[in-house]
Amino acid sequence: MKKPSPATPGSTVALVSPSSSLASVANHRVDRARTFLERVGFDVREYETTRESGSWGERRAERRAEDLMAAFRDPDVDVIVPTIGGYRTSALLPHLDYEEIAVNPTILTGYSDLTVLEYALLSQSELCTFHGPTAMPQLGEYPKPFEYTIDHFFDAISGQLAGTIEPSESWTDEFLDWFERRDLERRRKLHDNNGYEWLREGSARGRLLGGHAYSLLHVIGTDYWPDHNGSILVLEETMEESSLREIESYFIDLRNAGLFEQIEGLVVGRFEQYDSEESKRFRKIILSVTEEYDFPILYGVDVSHTDPQLTLPYGVEAELDSEEGSFRLLEEGVSV
């Protein structure tokens, strides 16, 4: 693995939009993220396509890839933060220069469909990437980003994250409409967090891989798919766009592709409406789809479409131990 150099306040953050033009219609969220980063000491750079609007086509994908490559090439850029996820990350993959990225390792964060980009960089450039916040949903939070999100983000990019990963004290899945700027009226309502839940006990050690389950299906079986043998797999999903029936099919597809035969442990992100009947059914789906395996399953981790959110480096060694009730990172994702 190629680990990027650590970053601290004073470093430069590049804001890019590899998969969505949503930054053009919810500008205030990008503004808030930029203001926050600058207030804590980062220099922030944007590109021509960062807030670009308009329809999406192959030429537009090429232009967004050019801006992403510009961020990797810039020796002053230490961290690349997408404005948000989306649906079109896959369109960028053929237009990236992976050899050049490999010799210019830079921290890149993201989740949801940005999993596709992270897997491409892992497999083609051997770059350690970071499952973590994006600008609009997390760093643009009103009145400020959640401390749990920021503390883990700063620890991850500065090389101080290794050790036991504790759950957040509270969480939210509430959405206050950005387009009507309801998000500027009040802070989102929080629920108490009861901590992690072991759906299957046991212990495991391996390198972290994974991300958004549906997005993994975009790259499975392609050259962008990394080796999962001996890994601890992180999976997250959301009911925003999918029904439980569809989510179950994603997990079945991953099982049928042989993924669960290769892994040592499974970490699953918190589902929205954690105590709802849908969430309880989701837990049952996980156990049903993996019933022929004996790897440990840790559920309710802060890596999904709820907030606050962890930052986890992909490619590093991690450990699960239900007897101790622990989830540990055994190394940093940056070169220290």
Side-chain angles (χ1 to χ4, degrees):
M1 293 297 299
K2 295 179 175 64
K3 295 184 178 182
S5 298
T8 57
S11 301
T12 298
V13 175
L15 297 182
V16 298
S17 294
S19 60
S20 173
S21 57
L22 196 60
S24 66
V25 292
N27 261 294
H28 69 288
R29 299 290 295 198
V30 185
D31 292 339
R32 291 195 60 81
R34 178 166 189 156
T35 298
F36 168 75
L37 289 168
E38 291 175 338
R39 189 171 69 244
V40 297
F42 289 95
D43 179 40
V44 180
R45 298 185 183 179
E46 296 186 28
Y47 298 83
E48 184 178 345
T49 61
T50 300
R51 305 195 194 207
E52 184 182 56
S53 62
S55 60
W56 189 284
E58 193 63 22
R59 178 56 189 148
R60 198 171 297 272
E62 290 179 19
R63 292 182 59 238
R64 290 179 186 268
E66 288 169 4
D67 280 351
L68 181 58
M69 286 304 308
F72 273 108
R73 291 189 188 104
D74 191 334
D76 293 328
V77 170
D78 304 285
V79 186
I80 300 172
V81 178
T83 54
I84 198 168
Y87 296 101
R88 306 175 182 95
T89 304
S90 300
L92 268 68
L93 303 189
H95 305 297
L96 300 176
D97 187 332
Y98 296 101
E99 291 185 4
E100 191 167 4
I101 291 171
V103 297
N104 293 284
T106 305
I107 297 167
L108 180 135
T109 70
Y111 69 109
S112 194
D113 94 309
L114 293 163
T115 297
V116 172
L117 176 59
E118 292 178 315
Y119 262 43
L121 299 181
L122 277 163
S123 62
Q124 303 303 301
S125 304
E126 297 183 338
L127 178 65
C128 179
T129 60
F130 295 77
H131 182 109
T134 55
M136 296 170 69
Q138 284 78 39
L139 304 185
E141 183 73 35
Y142 177 84
K144 63 179 181 179
F146 292 111
E147 288 187 13
Y148 184 90
T149 297
I150 292 306
D151 287 347
H152 285 85
F153 175 61
F154 288 166
D155 285 349
I157 66 175
S158 65
Q160 302 178 68
L161 186 65
T164 300
I165 302 296
E166 300 290 349
S168 61
E169 293 182 358
S170 57
W171 65 277
T172 184
D173 58 359
E174 184 179 23
F175 177 70
L176 298 174
D177 198 309
W178 297 352
F179 310 109
E180 296 182 4
R181 301 207 170 192
R182 296 286 174 82
D183 58 310
L184 301 179
E185 296 175 2
R186 63 172 175 84
R187 191 169 188 80
R188 292 190 285 166
K189 295 178 182 178
L190 293 166
H191 310 279
D192 291 336
N193 187 10
N194 295 324
Y196 300 143
E197 180 179 346
W198 292 92
L199 298 187
R200 184 181 297 129
E201 296 184 347
S203 61
R205 178 173 176 168
R207 69 171 186 151
L208 282 182
L209 291 172
H212 188 231
Y214 177 62
S215 296
L216 291 180
L217 298 178
H218 292 321
V219 291
I220 196 167
T222 71
D223 291 340
Y224 303 114
W225 187 252
D227 182 7
H228 287 74
N229 280 304
S231 67
I232 292 178
L233 183 68
V234 178
L235 287 180
E236 58 103 350
E237 254 306 332
T238 176
M239 279 192 70
E240 287 180 13
E241 303 294 341
S242 302
S243 67
L244 271 177
R245 184 181 302 170
E246 291 171 317
I247 291 170
E248 182 176 13
S249 74
Y250 306 158
F251 279 69
I252 291 171
D253 288 343
L254 294 174
R255 182 194 65 190
N256 290 347
L259 180 57
F260 295 150
E261 295 178 4
Q262 302 173 36
I263 66 174
E264 299 295 323
L266 179 61
V267 173
V268 183
R270 180 191 301 105
F271 208 54
E272 301 105 314
Q273 306 173 42
Y274 187 87
D275 294 319
S276 69
E277 287 304 313
E278 288 84 358
S279 181
K280 293 173 184 176
R281 286 173 57 201
F282 179 54
R283 294 166 170 83
K284 291 179 180 179
I285 286 171
I286 296 168
L287 286 171
S288 175
V289 173
T290 64
E291 64 182 352
E292 61 188 280
Y293 308 100
D294 61 0
F295 50 71
I297 304 175
L298 180 61
Y299 175 73
V301 182
D302 301 282
V303 293
S304 195
H305 282 64
T306 64
D307 288 296
Q309 191 174 100
L310 270 173
T311 302
L312 291 178
Y314 282 156
V316 305
E317 287 285 312
E319 183 179 74
L320 297 175
D321 191 326
S322 64
E323 186 172 343
E324 295 186 6
S326 64
F327 173 28
R328 297 190 190 92
L329 294 186
L330 304 180
E331 60 177 310
E332 302 289 353
V334 294
S335 57
V336 293

